[in-house]
Amino acid sequence: MKSNLFISEQELDAQRRIASQLYREIEPRGLTFFVETFGCQMNVRDSETIKGWLIDIGYAETDDKTSADLILFNTCCVRDHAEKRLMGNIGALKELKDNHPGMIIGICGCMMQQEGMAKKLLKRFPHVSLIFGTNVLHRLPEMIRRVMDGERIAVTDRANDAIAEGLPKLRDNPRSAFVNIMYGCDNFCSYCIVPYVRGRERSRRPEDVRSEVCSLVESGISEITLLGQNVNSYGNDGSTGMHFADLLRYISDVPGLKRIRFMSSHPKDLSEDVMHAIAELPNVCHHVHLPVQSGNSEILKRMNRKYTREHYLSIIENLRSLVPDIEFTTDIIVGFPGETEEAFRDTMSLVDEAGFAAAFTFAYSPRQGTVAAKMEDQIPEAIKKRRLSELNELQARKTVENNRKYIGYSGEVLVEGFDTRGTETMLYGKYQNFKMVYFSGQPELMNQYVNVRVTGINKNSLIGEIIDA
Ligand code: SAM
Ligand code: SF4
């Protein structure tokens, strides 16, 4: 049995002490920060911790990049266009820094964990003084101290992939929150850079997850999304004494917790026990984000996904028979090396058969250091582009088909936002199974649950009316 490694309380206390010293210097000067986040929910969640620290250090948040005293980009490196975009963004800040010499410009996130990247950026952009990776967020006060003292630093070590509990967080969504249940990934899908930059898989202790959920609910949050690269392998290393289905059961009775979502689910690890937990626990939402990546078993093998097309479809079938109103969303990559036209047709037919509510579709992007980047038979960009647009067209039709079955349906919606641009105020929110619906109503209903009946459909969402608030 492997035991989890945690950052010690002493180390965290030392960081908290630096934070409170910095607070006495920074807060009276009225300094502000601006954090821009790229990529997935993990990065969004990391940015909440970064912002939490910055508040504890004495900064105030601003949404005006041009006047901020500290600008930080939280980067993603899953696909290569992100790097080009980041270079442009950073380059554009040079003039701002020239006019505001005290400004700190920093870059963090997954991309900083790529080999050689931090060094390259420090060299190329003299106006950047702070670089750090995903596994050292607990050391932010010390890093800010050093930069304020005039150093230019890059801190990208993996800190033994240890988990830091009890870090500050600035959450700005009053109804819904992301909760990490695990970090890193052990799967090494052959196209994916995540295991190289985010490190080995490690699970949080169930009691830490539950106590975070309890305090979120006490603060008014009623919907949580459990995050992991593969939530279904939670505790598989034996360190937590629980698997994912047990964790769902363990937190589902937190009083006041109305909705539990989770993502992502790797098909190879979605057990019958998890299926039963989804069916039986009243607040586990009937939605599974189940990335399929390809509909062709040979390509799945080359992707190192460890399931076949048939197995994937059997999960969908089994879950639908247990939970009839369940919805699936997915991720799909087209143009993986060696993907023949026939293999691509298998993806198209799987999409046709599976009936996804929505799909996030990507053209394969070679990532240096991954197995697939070295494979022969890379697919030309033009073919990837054509396959992507064919796939998107098909999914658009399937989404409309899926939406149609909701006409006349009614259920509880959590109001997430409103739009006042038209003649009447339109509210929007999601049913528990992730379907988005628009309906007319008063903005005071924000963050509340209302019953809504579906009366029509849009391309990607439903149209409804309130039946009681
Ligand atoms: N851990 C999640 C899983 O396995 O479902 C996925 C995390 S990854 C950040 C999100 C999605 O990006 C993947 O599901 C995959 O479809 C896509 N992706 C990852 N690497 C890619 C690559 N090299 N090229 C194109 N898409 C990629
Ligand atoms: Fe990447 Fe695969 Fe891990 Fe998801 S499961 S993060 S796609 S290696």
Side-chain angles (χ1 to χ4, degrees):
M1 185 199 281
K2 185 177 106 187
S3 70
N4 270 330
L5 244 171
F6 291 87
I7 303 289
S8 71
E9 262 312 301
Q10 290 94 309
E11 196 173 341
L12 294 177
D13 277 342
Q15 295 296 332
R16 289 181 193 118
R17 278 195 297 278
I18 302 174
S20 53
Q21 283 157 7
L22 281 166
Y23 189 90
R24 290 194 286 277
E25 282 174 48
I26 290 177
E27 199 271 342
R29 293 167 60 195
L31 301 187
T32 57
F33 73 83
F34 176 90
V35 175
E36 188 157 352
T37 308
F38 300 89
C40 68
Q41 289 82 359
M42 297 279 172
N43 271 14
V44 172
R45 178 61 206 79
D46 284 351
S47 285
E48 291 175 344
T49 294
I50 291 166
K51 291 179 185 186
W53 266 134
L54 293 175
I55 297 280
D56 283 6
I57 287 170
Y59 286 95
E61 188 171 19
T62 176
D63 51 13
D64 176 16
K65 199 192 309 189
T66 58
S67 71
D69 300 285
L70 188 156
I71 299 180
L72 198 54
F73 291 105
N74 190 358
T75 61
C76 163
C77 59
V78 169
R79 284 166 292 275
D80 71 347
H81 63 82
E83 190 176 322
K84 291 181 199 116
R85 208 164 133 204
L86 176 77
M87 299 295 172
N89 275 322
I90 301 287
L93 292 181
K94 166 132 190 8
E95 204 184 319
L96 213 56
K97 168 90 180 173
D98 288 344
N99 296 328
H100 182 349
M103 171 189 268
I104 296 175
I105 299 174
I107 321 174
C108 62
C110 300
M111 202 191 287
M112 299 309 103
Q113 299 286 124
Q114 277 179 274
E115 220 181 311
M117 182 58 79
K119 257 196 190 150
K120 177 167 126 184
L121 291 174
L122 275 186
K123 194 162 166 213
R124 177 156 168 198
F125 298 111
H127 55 291
V128 169
S129 51
L130 170 64
I131 288 184
F132 58 95
T134 51
N135 291 11
V136 290
L137 301 189
H138 60 286
R139 288 173 55 193
L140 192 56
E142 164 209 329
M143 292 188 266
I144 298 280
R145 173 78 277 163
R146 289 171 61 192
V147 172
M148 291 199 78
D149 291 343
E151 277 188 71
R152 294 181 71 226
I153 57 171
V155 182
T156 57
D157 57 277
R158 296 258 292 268
N160 292 328
D161 292 348
I163 295 177
E165 288 293 350
L167 299 186
K169 301 165 190 86
L170 177 68
R171 288 181 149 125
D172 50 15
N173 184 330
R175 67 190 165 270
S176 188
F178 292 132
V179 175
N180 289 116
I181 61 167
M182 54 207 298
Y183 303 93
C185 183
D186 283 350
N187 291 305
F188 290 93
C189 300
S190 62
Y191 50 81
C192 185
I193 199 162
V194 170
Y196 301 91
V197 294
R198 287 225 170 226
R200 293 291 61 73
E201 190 171 291
R202 58 263 186 219
S203 301
R204 287 180 74 195
R205 288 176 294 227
E207 56 274 27
D208 291 333
V209 175
R210 187 177 160 109
S211 93
E212 185 175 343
V213 171
C214 287
S215 59
L216 285 166
V217 173
E218 274 162 29
S219 75
I221 294 240
S222 63
E223 177 182 85
I224 56 152
T225 305
L226 305 175
L227 291 183
Q229 295 298 348
N230 173 9
V231 291
N232 298 321
S233 64
Y234 176 82
N236 273 5
D237 63 359
S239 64
T240 61
M242 276 193 192
H243 290 295
F244 183 53
D246 309 317
L247 182 74
L248 286 173
R249 293 189 182 100
Y250 179 59
I251 58 172
S252 77
D253 65 353
V254 169
L257 178 59
K258 287 201 44 132
R259 291 179 169 185
I260 303 175
R261 303 192 181 283
F262 52 88
M263 70 187 304
S264 284
S265 274
H266 196 308
K268 82 177 165 63
D269 293 310
L270 203 155
S271 64
E272 277 194 21
D273 201 14
V274 170
M275 296 192 198
H276 285 286
I278 299 171
E280 287 155 18
L281 298 170
N283 49 2
V284 171
C285 291
H286 293 175
H287 165 236
V288 181
H289 182 65
L290 194 65
V292 65
Q293 313 298 0
S294 166
N296 176 276
S297 295
E298 190 50 40
I299 292 290
L300 286 170
K301 197 165 169 195
R302 286 162 61 91
M303 286 177 161
N304 196 28
R305 290 290 287 180
K306 300 196 169 80
Y307 54 85
T308 59
R309 170 194 177 96
E310 291 70 31
H311 179 65
Y312 183 90
L313 287 169
S314 75
I315 296 173
I316 294 220
E317 195 183 318
N318 291 345
L319 265 168
R320 282 206 175 115
S321 67
L322 278 172
V323 188
D325 68 340
I326 199 160
E327 288 291 3
F328 295 93
T329 52
T330 197
D331 293 345
I332 300 172
I333 297 176
V334 297
F336 183 81
E339 186 188 69
T340 59
E341 208 50 37
E342 200 186 347
F344 171 64
R345 293 292 140 209
D346 285 342
T347 296
M348 294 286 278
S349 70
L350 182 133
V351 167
D352 197 30
E353 210 175 308
F356 298 116
F360 300 88
T361 57
F362 310 101
Y364 167 69
S365 163
R367 307 311 291 134
Q368 209 186 347
T370 61
V371 171
K374 292 184 217 96
M375 286 179 180
E376 286 169 9
D377 47 27
Q378 299 282 329
I379 305 294
E381 288 306 318
I383 296 184
K384 289 185 201 170
K385 215 168 142 192
R386 192 255 301 151
R387 289 181 185 166
L388 191 60
S389 85
E390 259 191 67
L391 176 61
N392 287 342
E393 257 172 53
L394 171 62
Q395 181 55 45
R397 285 201 303 279
K398 298 300 291 184
T399 303
V400 169
E401 206 176 281
N402 180 288
N403 287 348
R404 268 198 206 107
K405 70 180 192 216
Y406 281 86
I407 303 267
Y409 171 90
S410 51
E412 208 173 36
V413 171
L414 174 55
V415 183
E416 291 175 16
F418 58 88
D419 184 348
T420 49
R421 283 171 304 179
T423 48
E424 55 182 346
T425 303
M426 293 303 279
L427 306 181
Y428 57 87
K430 290 192 195 80
Y431 289 110
Q432 61 85 17
N433 67 357
F434 215 61
K435 293 298 290 188
M436 175 75 95
V437 59
Y438 284 77
F439 49 99
S440 110
Q442 295 309 310
E444 295 73 55
L445 290 173
M446 267 293 286
N447 308 323
Q448 312 279 320
Y449 289 86
V450 289
N451 278 314
V452 175
R453 179 173 37 234
V454 177
T455 54
I457 62 167
N458 290 318
K459 264 200 228 157
N460 292 312
S461 58
L462 308 168
I463 302 168
E465 61 189 10
I466 295 181
I467 44 180
D468 70 64

